[in-house]
Amino acid sequence: MRVHNVVLVVTLVLCIVTIAGAQGREPAVRLHKAHSVSGVQNVSYDGRSLLINNQRHLLFSGSIHYTRSTPEMWPDLLDKARHGGLNVIQTYVFWNAHEPEKGKWNFQGNYDLVKFIKLIQEKGMFATLRVGPFIQAEWNHGGLPYWLREVPGIIFRSNNEPFKQHMEAYVTKIIKMMKDEKLFASQGGPIILAQIENEYNHIQLAYDEDGPSYVQWAANMAVAQNIGVPWIMCKQKDAPDPVINACNGRHCGDTFTGPNKPYKPALWTENWTAQYRVFGDPTSQRSAEDIAFSIARFFSKDGILVNYYMYHGGTNFGRTSAAFTTTRYYDEAPLDEFGLQREPKWSHLRDAHKSLNLCKKALLTGKATVQRLNEFHEIRVYEKPQNDICSAFITNNHTNEAATINFRGKNFFLPPHSISVLPDCKTVVFNTQQIASQHNARNFRRSTLANNHKWEVFSETIPSLPVTQKLPAELYSLLKDTTDYAWFSTSFNLGAQDLPKNGAAPVLRIMSLGHSLLTFVNEEYIGSNHGTHEEKSFEFQKPVNFKVGNNRITILASTVGLPDSGAYMEHRYAGPKSISILGLTTGTIELTANGWGHKVGLKGEKQKIFSEEGSKRVKWRAAVGNAPALSWFKTRFSTPEGRDPVAIRMNGMGKGMIWVNGKSIGRHWMNFLSPIGKPTQSEYHIPRAYLKPKEENLLVVLEEEIANPGQVEIVTVDRDVVCSFITENHPANVNSFASKDMKFHSVIETVKPAAVLKCSNFKKVVAVEFASYGNPSGFCGSFGLGNCNVEGANKIVEEECLGKKSCRVSMERFSKNGNVCQGVEKTLAIQLRCSH
């Protein structure tokens, strides 16, 4: 109603201004001002919350980065976020994506920031714009363009005039773009918060007095942009007024020291839904239960906004990932890399949001009381007795032991490390540890249409380079972030007297500052090595059969993304540092200062042989068996059947990059194995927007290692196996309850635990793969029967679910068959398969 009233007032003002203009007063200026406030939302704050048009909201936010998906994916991602209970979308702005060369701007395709922000508004959500300009985000160079390193006298993120000049120019441009499109809430747009800088407290001490001075300058510069909505700084305890300091972490309900002033609200800008991966990492997870606990805890302690970092991670296309970061980003988020709902994370958090919204009136208007029962158990109540408003949060913070806690004369069972949410101080609608929503399993299915490959190969020539300088060049400065690759070459003479007579081969040793390299001696491939995310520097050491006479050493040094964090980023270095030959009869030869030739990039890159036109510029041959190191492979494939997401599984390959129809889908690295002996990432996302619906698609792979692409396959991706696993002690699904006119009530006749399952993407249930009521065990995709089961469970589930897009199976259906498994907690496990 408030919005409608604003629109009516503006319409009236427009009419009055038009009449005034007819009388010779300045209509143009007044008209512009009146139009600019159409749909205006005033955003302010106090110590309790943000106020949007003087109304308080619980804000559930999720990070979705426009650069890490395609515009064709954005509507579906935002719809799933909204259906998951989010009302805010947070994104960084990526400076080096938009200005890779000074003065040359790119806001096209998946870099179309304005289009993305407008779409957020179309979907009925607010936005938080994290301007940076430093963003970290496991993004190449933390979002800072490489050319900034070459500005004379620059010191990043410090009270340094060259850096501040460029930072202010960039921030001003982005803010002007948003203002011109009327995207701030003060103009009627969706942006309710903006962020300047990012986690600066981590490095502030490294800059001595220039650190606090820079923070104050950055805050003043941002506020002077006059955007009409609050600014925030995350992990910045000393954020200057009026900027709000915010928390990042996994458990800000307990670790956040709080706003630095009593008149600022508690905001959580990054609740990490997983651990981002770097090449060499094993699988890691963060459970849905732990995330749900963390947000219930935060909101029960006066929190007002939680942002999931990430809600959808997406893909680091091309060369956009930071050093050693995988191409797949935050795949364990509620929406996986392909935009599919990862269950139970997506739906358990959706249910958490619903339960908290049922407490909204009490949280925003009630008086808080805390009853600490002991070290582990606590009850928090928000209450307005005169209005019959009361919500409670009962906490068991013991990690191993369940508890029964009495609250207002009633006993409540709580599993370990859990919070029960009671919107009316009587009824448990949600427990963070008990998942009442569905689970699913992801499947990669070999495409029937896309795998008739006929591979061709083109191998790079090992160059012989003239000497250009005495020492090997520093790699970052040589590449200037235009490619991953640079050649280093030197030559030297050996006499017969230098070579060992006992048959032992001399050893070539290369000390590198990172990240990886291939080594050739006299144009013969010798081997490769690489650093790690934790230790970029490494040593290459291998016996080599040198010849009498002139020998040439050629090194292909490469980066795997630029660093994205830490102090003094402008002073990071990579590439070969020292080169020597050991084991000669005449002693060690130092080649570091021998004179080196350099060449940036590969022939295939320069010829763009990954594109249709470029692929015609070189001579390909049929790929038979293993190809030499540093080869390009080419084939064509039909677009896979159906509408499911598409990926390429890089079995049998080593390290390199992949292009589909001329577009890079990122780096692959299959031979960097994790501690469990497997690649960190085997499947690489091919957005359907990159594929041709009727023509064959061009696939080109740059492979650094000796390899054969015969095992590479195109797969489709689905989550068509959906499951439920609930017990008789689970709360009823939170959708069994509602609140209307401040009255909490159930919306179904019998409030009991039930399995609630739903197929995605308009699919229907085609099979019941498992059903058991009794004491089954296992997990989605691998359930097993216990020693006690109700007969006919499959038939009951088929009656409720077959042929439907969604179904609800009450545990009461099974208890009618008698009390089985006496003395055992009853469990219902269901596994369904969905399909078109």
Side-chain angles (χ1 to χ4, degrees):
M1 183 60 72
R2 288 181 182 272
V3 174
H4 291 294
N5 287 340
V6 169
V7 173
L8 287 172
V9 169
V10 170
T11 305
L12 179 60
V13 170
L14 282 169
C15 293
I16 293 171
V17 169
T18 304
I19 294 170
Q23 296 175 345
R25 301 177 186 166
E26 305 169 331
V29 174
R30 291 176 183 264
L31 266 171
H32 176 74
K33 287 183 178 179
H35 178 72
S36 71
V37 298
S38 178
V40 161
Q41 300 193 70
N42 176 50
V43 183
S44 59
Y45 62 81
D46 60 20
R48 180 63 197 96
S49 73
L50 293 176
L51 292 116
I52 303 172
N53 280 351
N54 294 318
Q55 292 185 338
R56 301 187 188 277
H57 299 262
L58 298 182
L59 297 170
F60 304 102
S61 175
S63 288
I64 298 177
H65 295 161
Y66 57 99
T67 56
R68 285 172 157 145
S69 56
T70 64
E72 291 79 4
M73 293 174 66
W74 295 345
D76 182 60
L77 294 173
L78 295 177
D79 281 339
K80 287 173 177 173
R82 183 167 51 87
H83 293 314
L86 301 193
N87 50 12
V88 184
I89 298 297
Q90 181 197 89
T91 186
Y92 282 120
V93 185
F94 298 75
W95 187 359
N96 57 1
H98 296 306
E99 194 185 12
E101 298 179 55
K102 191 175 186 310
K104 295 183 180 180
W105 296 89
N106 177 14
F107 291 95
Q108 303 299 312
N110 61 328
Y111 293 168
D112 193 339
L113 172 61
V114 168
K115 181 177 181 178
F116 183 70
I117 299 297
K118 287 183 175 180
L119 192 58
I120 292 171
Q121 185 170 28
E122 287 177 25
K123 299 297 182 180
M125 293 183 285
F126 298 122
T128 298
L129 193 71
R130 306 179 84 183
V131 182
F134 171 79
I135 61 172
Q136 189 167 343
E138 294 70 58
W139 185 265
N140 193 43
H141 215 214
L144 300 177
Y146 178 82
W147 57 260
L148 207 60
R149 284 174 59 111
E150 300 189 335
V151 173
I154 199 164
I155 302 174
F156 292 174
R157 306 175 70 198
S158 176
N159 190 32
N160 169 267
E161 288 306 320
F163 181 74
K164 291 193 296 183
Q165 176 188 343
H166 287 286
M167 173 175 168
E168 183 170 8
Y170 165 73
V171 170
T172 300
K173 179 177 180 67
I174 297 301
I175 295 302
K176 183 179 184 302
M177 179 181 294
M178 299 298 103
K179 283 184 176 181
D180 288 348
E181 298 291 338
K182 298 188 174 9
L183 294 177
F184 289 106
S186 55
Q187 303 171 292
I191 302 171
I192 58 170
L193 291 169
Q195 179 179 307
I196 195 72
E197 249 298 332
N198 192 70
E199 296 186 337
Y200 190 69
N201 267 158
H202 281 322
I203 64 167
Q204 185 168 321
L205 290 176
Y207 297 96
D208 298 322
E209 66 274 7
D210 280 342
S213 299
Y214 168 68
V215 171
Q216 186 67 59
W217 172 85
N220 293 341
M221 182 271 290
V223 172
Q225 299 288 331
N226 193 28
I227 61 177
V229 303
W231 284 91
I232 61 176
M233 285 181 167
C234 66
K235 278 197 173 181
Q236 192 64 45
K237 293 180 181 179
D238 58 346
D241 279 358
V243 178
I244 305 168
N245 62 303
C247 184
N248 289 358
R250 280 192 167 91
H251 290 282
C252 284
D254 291 308
T255 61
F256 187 36
T257 56
N260 60 22
K261 295 292 172 59
Y263 44 80
K264 296 179 183 180
L267 309 179
W268 189 353
T269 36
E270 291 188 18
N271 185 353
W272 303 320
T273 56
Q275 174 64 42
Y276 76 89
R277 303 275 189 85
V278 296
F279 286 112
D281 272 353
T283 301
S284 65
Q285 293 280 356
R286 186 183 177 198
S287 71
E289 296 93 325
D290 187 59
I291 302 172
F293 179 95
S294 73
I295 67 164
R297 184 77 170 151
F298 188 71
F299 280 105
S300 75
K301 296 178 72 173
D302 290 336
I304 201 64
L305 177 150
V306 167
N307 177 76
Y308 299 109
Y309 191 95
M310 300 287 296
Y311 198 75
H312 169 256
T315 306
N316 291 315
F317 298 113
R319 300 174 48 257
T320 59
S321 63
F324 289 89
T325 303
T326 56
T327 300
R328 175 179 291 162
Y329 189 59
Y330 269 87
D331 183 46
E332 293 80 13
L335 299 178
D336 70 13
E337 179 188 14
F338 307 97
L340 302 175
Q341 291 154 218
R342 177 179 289 278
E343 303 286 19
K345 193 170 283 187
W346 182 85
S347 55
H348 192 51
L349 295 180
R350 174 204 62 197
D351 292 352
H353 305 150
K354 177 70 181 290
S355 72
L356 291 165
N357 273 323
L358 289 171
C359 304
K360 179 178 176 180
K361 187 64 69 173
L363 283 169
L364 294 176
T365 66
K367 180 181 179 181
T369 58
V370 182
Q371 184 181 0
R372 293 184 177 87
L373 306 178
N374 53 49
E375 181 184 357
F376 302 107
H377 305 144
E378 177 183 285
I379 302 170
R380 290 180 173 267
V381 177
Y382 288 80
E383 192 167 17
K384 286 183 74 174
Q386 67 274 25
N387 296 103
D388 197 26
I389 295 173
C390 184
S391 294
F393 299 83
I394 307 176
T395 300
N396 174 16
N397 211 4
H398 199 291
T399 55
N400 299 316
E401 296 179 7
T404 298
I405 298 175
N406 188 276
F407 173 58
R408 297 190 177 180
K410 186 177 179 181
N411 286 334
F412 295 90
F413 171 81
L414 279 86
H417 189 59
S418 74
I419 297 175
S420 283
V421 180
L422 291 70
D424 62 348
C425 286
K426 302 172 187 175
T427 310
V428 175
V429 302
F430 183 80
N431 178 274
T432 59
Q433 192 67 27
Q434 294 177 309
I435 296 176
S437 58
Q438 71 182 24
H439 304 239
N440 65 20
R442 184 164 67 186
N443 309 290
F444 293 95
R445 306 185 192 276
R446 181 181 171 89
S447 169
T448 57
L449 295 179
N451 284 292
N452 188 23
H453 301 310
K454 295 179 181 178
W455 289 98
E456 297 177 281
V457 63
F458 163 77
S459 299
E460 289 276 340
T461 301
I462 312 306
S464 177
L465 304 172
V467 173
T468 55
Q469 62 186 61
K470 187 174 184 179
L471 298 171
E474 193 281 314
L475 188 57
Y476 289 154
S477 302
L478 183 63
L479 298 177
K480 301 186 188 304
D481 198 27
T482 58
T483 171
D484 283 358
Y485 302 101
W487 293 101
F488 294 70
S489 179
T490 193
S491 61
F492 60 98
N493 291 309
L494 290 175
Q497 70 279 7
D498 296 313
L499 298 174
K501 306 294 190 240
N502 59 3
V507 172
L508 172 62
R509 176 191 284 173
I510 303 170
M511 307 298 291
S512 175
L513 298 177
H515 297 165
S516 68
L517 59 76
L518 307 181
T519 305
F520 302 82
V521 173
N522 298 325
E523 300 187 4
E524 178 185 348
Y525 177 62
I526 300 302
S528 64
N529 204 2
H530 58 82
T532 68
H533 179 260
E534 288 70 30
E535 183 52 69
K536 276 86 177 165
S537 299
F538 64 94
E539 176 183 282
F540 174 91
Q541 188 165 292
K542 198 162 185 179
V544 176
N545 291 316
F546 291 104
K547 64 183 181 180
V548 173
N550 186 262
N551 292 269
R552 177 170 293 276
I553 296 173
T554 308
I555 302 167
L556 182 69
S558 64
T559 58
V560 190
L562 298 183
D564 70 330
S565 60
Y568 300 104
M569 280 175 51
E570 69 279 5
H571 296 303
R572 306 291 178 81
Y573 307 107
K577 183 66 175 174
S578 70
I579 301 93
S580 57
I581 300 172
L582 315 177
L584 297 169
T585 58
T586 50
T588 298
I589 295 181
E590 291 290 344
L591 296 175
T592 307
N594 190 56
W596 290 82
H598 303 85
K599 184 179 181 181
V600 174
L602 303 175
K603 178 180 178 180
E605 287 182 295
K606 294 175 180 177
Q607 300 278 5
K608 296 185 178 181
I609 66 173
F610 46 79
S611 66
E612 285 289 353
E613 284 302 312
S615 67
K616 301 171 185 175
R617 296 178 184 136
V618 297
K619 188 174 181 180
W620 301 84
R621 66 182 189 276
V624 179
N626 286 336
L630 205 57
S631 292
W632 297 77
F633 297 98
K634 181 185 78 162
T635 190
R636 295 184 182 273
F637 67 97
S638 300
T639 297
E641 60 281 3
R643 293 177 289 178
D644 289 328
V646 179
I648 180 170
R649 180 174 275 156
M650 298 297 288
N651 294 336
M653 304 304 278
K655 176 178 180 288
M657 190 170 285
I658 311 163
W659 288 263
V660 174
N661 292 327
K663 296 183 178 180
S664 172
I665 63 170
R667 301 181 180 98
H668 70 275
W669 201 346
M670 296 290 288
N671 63 346
F672 189 170
L673 303 182
S674 75
I676 61 174
K678 295 182 179 180
T680 303
Q681 180 178 349
S682 296
E683 297 86 15
Y684 295 80
H685 182 205
I686 304 175
R688 279 203 175 260
Y690 288 6
L691 301 177
K692 300 175 181 178
K694 296 180 180 179
E695 302 173 51
E696 285 201 316
N697 302 280
L698 175 65
L699 169 62
V700 176
V701 176
L702 168 62
E703 177 53 59
E704 297 177 23
E705 302 285 351
I706 296 171
N708 180 348
Q711 298 178 61
V712 171
E713 60 181 350
I714 306 295
V715 296
T716 59
V717 192
D718 67 59
R719 289 185 177 271
D720 287 349
V721 175
V722 297
C723 308
S724 180
F725 190 85
I726 59 172
T727 72
E728 59 186 342
N729 290 322
H730 271 59
N733 188 281
V734 69
N735 289 318
S736 304
F737 307 95
S739 179
K740 187 176 182 181
D741 299 327
M742 295 189 295
K743 299 295 182 183
F744 171 81
H745 62 282
S746 62
V747 294
I748 57 176
E749 284 187 22
T750 306
V751 179
K752 295 285 186 182
V756 179
L757 299 120
K758 183 178 181 180
C759 296
S760 61
N761 297 329
F762 308 102
K763 297 178 182 179
K764 294 181 179 180
V765 177
V766 296
V768 177
E769 296 184 336
F770 184 88
S772 172
Y773 178 80
N775 61 348
S777 60
F779 53 88
C780 191
S782 185
F783 286 127
L785 293 172
N787 56 18
C788 176
N789 299 280
V790 167
E791 291 186 12
N794 251 65
K795 184 177 180 182
I796 292 173
V797 176
E798 286 176 351
E799 289 174 359
E800 296 287 352
C801 298
L802 269 184
K804 299 178 181 178
K805 294 178 182 177
S806 63
C807 59
R808 181 179 186 276
V809 185
S810 172
M811 294 188 81
E812 282 193 314
R813 286 291 307 270
F814 304 91
S815 59
K816 292 176 182 177
N817 291 17
N819 187 13
V820 297
C821 308
Q822 293 190 20
V824 175
E825 181 184 59
K826 312 302 184 299
T827 297
L828 172 61
I830 298 172
Q831 181 170 310
L832 309 177
R833 182 160 51 85
C834 303
S835 179
H836 288 299

